[in-house]
Amino acid sequence: MPAMIYRSEPPIPTDIIIYKMGDKFVYMRPADDYEQALDYAQKEFPDELRGVTRDRIELYTIGKVDGQRQLVRISADAWTPTAARLMRGEIVFISIKPLPSTTKDGEVAPPQYLEIPPLHFTSSTPPSPKRTPSPLPTARRSRSWFGRR
C-alpha cells in the first residue's frame, strides 16, 4: 500500500485555474468570490453566455463522492472555501441551467411525466386479454400445506 502524505500546513493558494465551457478552455486567476467568478465566466465566454442571466450560470468542479470522481456544483456560499482548495491548473466547468418550461399564463409548468406512445390497433376495438381455460372439475385434487392428501 502506498504511503499516505498528510499536509500539516495550510494549502498554498493557487495562482491559476482553468475555466472550461463546451470545448473551450481559458487559464484564469481564481476569483475572490462567486460574483467575480461569474464576471470572469461572462468576460471569457461572451458568445456562449450572451443573453444568459447570471442565475442560470452554474460552476462545477470534480469532487470525490462515495469514492467516485464526479462533477459537483459549487454554490455561491461555497465558492471561497472551494477556490482556496483548488489545485494549480484545476478545472472549473461552466454550465447553463435550462430555462423552466412555462404555461400560457406565464407560470412554471409542473414536471412532465414520461410519455407513453399511443397504441395502434388494427380494428376499431382493442384486443381482449387472452385467458387460459379453467381446469376441468375432474382434474381437481385436494391439496394441503404439507403436500397431497
Side-chain angles (χ1 to χ4, degrees):
M1 180 177 225
M4 301 293 281
I5 300 174
Y6 293 97
R7 219 187 282 189
S8 59
E9 301 170 9
I12 299 169
T14 187
D15 59 339
I16 194 161
I17 59 173
I18 299 170
Y19 271 35
K20 179 185 186 303
M21 183 164 193
D23 59 351
K24 295 182 181 178
F25 297 83
V26 178
Y27 281 112
M28 308 200 43
R29 302 190 125 238
D32 295 328
D33 59 41
Y34 192 78
E35 292 303 316
Q36 187 179 37
L38 294 179
D39 290 342
Y40 288 176
Q42 289 177 316
K43 177 183 174 196
E44 296 300 328
F45 300 97
D47 296 334
E48 294 84 353
L49 296 174
R50 181 172 292 122
V52 177
T53 58
R54 291 171 73 89
D55 63 320
R56 291 184 51 223
I57 301 172
E58 297 181 322
L59 305 175
Y60 292 81
T61 189
I62 294 181
K64 209 170 203 181
V65 178
D66 294 330
Q68 304 258 337
R69 293 172 51 94
Q70 61 184 2
L71 285 176
V72 178
R73 188 174 66 83
I74 307 169
S75 71
D77 292 338
W79 174 262
T80 302
T82 302
R85 287 169 180 74
L86 292 174
M87 305 273 296
R88 188 171 209 255
E90 194 163 342
I91 299 174
V92 172
F93 299 86
I94 303 167
S95 179
I96 300 172
K97 187 177 2 177
L99 286 170
S101 55
T102 57
T103 63
K104 293 177 187 175
D105 302 331
E107 296 178 10
V108 175
Q112 298 298 307
Y113 294 98
L114 176 66
E115 290 185 25
I116 299 173
L119 298 174
H120 298 286
F121 302 109
T122 55
S123 66
S124 61
T125 59
S128 61
K130 303 246 185 223
R131 294 185 181 171
T132 57
S134 300
L136 296 174
T138 57
R140 286 191 190 168
R141 292 188 181 166
S142 170
R143 293 185 186 193
S144 76
W145 288 102
F146 303 106
R148 293 185 188 176
R149 287 190 189 185

